[in-house]
Amino acid sequence: MKSQVPNPKVQIPIATGVLVVALALNVFAQGRGAPAGRGGGPATARASAPFDPTGYWVAIISEDWRWRMVTPAKGDVVSIPLSVEGLRVAEAWDPAKDEAAGEQCRAYGAPGLMRGPTRLHVTWQDDNTLKIESDYGTQTRLLRFGGAAPAASAQGGKNWQGVTTAQWIMAAGGGRGRGGARHGSIKSVTTQMRPGYLRKNGVPYSDRAVFTEYWDLQTETNGDQYLVDTNLVDDPVYLQTPWITALHFKKEPDGSKWDPSTCDARF
């Protein structure tokens, strides 16, 4: 394998104290309050949003660098609670076979993509659909608010980004802070995905995996904004227990650094 060179698109800060990593430890135990929009609130997801998630965001690779910035060696599965079958599949990884099968995007499905060295472009496709595009692998995922997930067959079968439903979850106490400002998170649940990789060296997830995310906005005193994606991968086929991580993205002023690239099975 060729020597790996850090991706210049991704910022790697020296200090990460500004990020609220503690969210990863308690987000799934708190219940996250109640959904927004109840009691006669705004009808659309866009109108009821407690924060603005739109814009360009760059991944902050400040932890797990050797697994996220470069392709690890075959069998490097540290920190992922794989089942015996999951370990067997990971140790059989062969990128040449993925290329021959036209499956170079296995590491770019929703759970793997979010951990990659990517930029995100978040926009409202309509008042109840949030669109998340990535330049890494040129992928697009739609977060659909206020309705049941459509069947994968309705969109041509299972794909790498699956089907995602979403809702606003308001903070405890009605989500109102000082000055009447609202506080809350997006909860999104992605299912109906094609089987892919959690890590680019073939660590698998199956088509039965469920990818749950909580998206929070953190604003620093200097005005910098961070989108924190606390997420859980639950897979009864390849994982012994759910895998929980917290990912961080910093907001950029514009799309001048946006650099779309195609899927690559090796690097």
Side-chain angles (χ1 to χ4, degrees):
M1 180 178 289
K2 297 179 181 179
S3 61
Q4 303 295 327
V5 178
N7 190 325
K9 297 195 301 181
V10 180
Q11 296 183 1
I12 308 174
I14 297 175
T16 60
V18 297
L19 303 177
V20 187
V21 180
L23 285 169
L25 302 177
N26 61 18
V27 63
F28 296 100
Q30 292 179 345
R32 306 295 289 192
R38 292 181 176 176
T44 70
R46 186 173 186 175
S48 60
F51 68 85
D52 180 11
T54 63
Y56 289 90
W57 305 84
V58 61
I60 302 295
I61 310 293
S62 55
E63 71 288 317
D64 294 347
W65 193 96
R66 71 186 180 96
W67 298 305
R68 297 173 62 187
M69 284 296 293
V70 299
T71 301
K74 180 191 293 189
D76 186 351
V77 301
V78 174
S79 81
I80 301 178
L82 287 174
S83 64
V84 172
E85 180 62 11
L87 183 59
R88 184 192 69 78
V89 172
E91 291 179 339
W93 173 62
D94 184 346
K97 287 185 177 180
D98 288 341
E99 291 169 340
E103 298 211 325
Q104 297 94 326
C105 290
R106 275 185 169 266
Y108 298 79
L113 173 73
M114 295 305 295
R115 293 184 60 78
T118 187
R119 280 185 164 81
L120 305 178
H121 183 209
V122 182
T123 57
W124 285 101
Q125 176 168 283
D126 58 49
D127 284 344
N128 286 304
T129 307
L130 201 61
K131 180 165 68 172
I132 301 178
E133 299 171 278
S134 70
D135 62 353
Y136 182 62
T138 318
Q139 300 291 308
T140 300
R141 181 156 55 117
L142 300 178
L143 276 57
R144 298 176 173 89
F145 289 77
S153 58
Q155 49 185 35
K158 293 183 177 180
N159 58 48
W160 301 119
Q161 300 307 309
V163 175
T164 304
T165 57
Q167 62 179 315
W168 287 109
I169 302 292
M170 302 307 293
R176 294 285 178 177
R178 191 181 311 174
R182 291 180 297 164
H183 300 286
S185 308
I186 298 172
K187 177 185 178 182
S188 62
V189 180
T190 303
T191 57
Q192 304 183 62
M193 296 176 286
R194 290 178 65 175
Y197 297 148
L198 296 173
R199 189 172 285 168
K200 204 159 187 180
N201 62 339
V203 177
Y205 64 84
S206 76
D207 62 357
R208 295 171 59 189
V210 177
F211 184 44
T212 302
E213 298 165 279
Y214 289 94
W215 307 76
D216 293 279
L217 183 69
Q218 302 291 331
T219 302
E220 302 304 316
T221 55
N222 64 356
D224 288 348
Q225 290 188 315
Y226 296 87
L227 193 60
V228 183
D229 176 17
T230 308
N231 62 82
L232 177 152
V233 181
D234 192 357
D235 184 358
V237 179
Y238 293 133
L239 295 179
Q240 298 184 64
T241 62
W243 187 39
I244 301 174
T245 58
L247 309 172
H248 308 90
F249 299 85
K250 184 177 181 180
K251 192 166 190 176
E252 297 188 302
D254 53 45
S256 60
K257 296 180 180 180
W258 185 254
D259 184 21
S261 60
T262 57
C263 297
D264 191 313
R266 299 173 185 269
F267 306 112

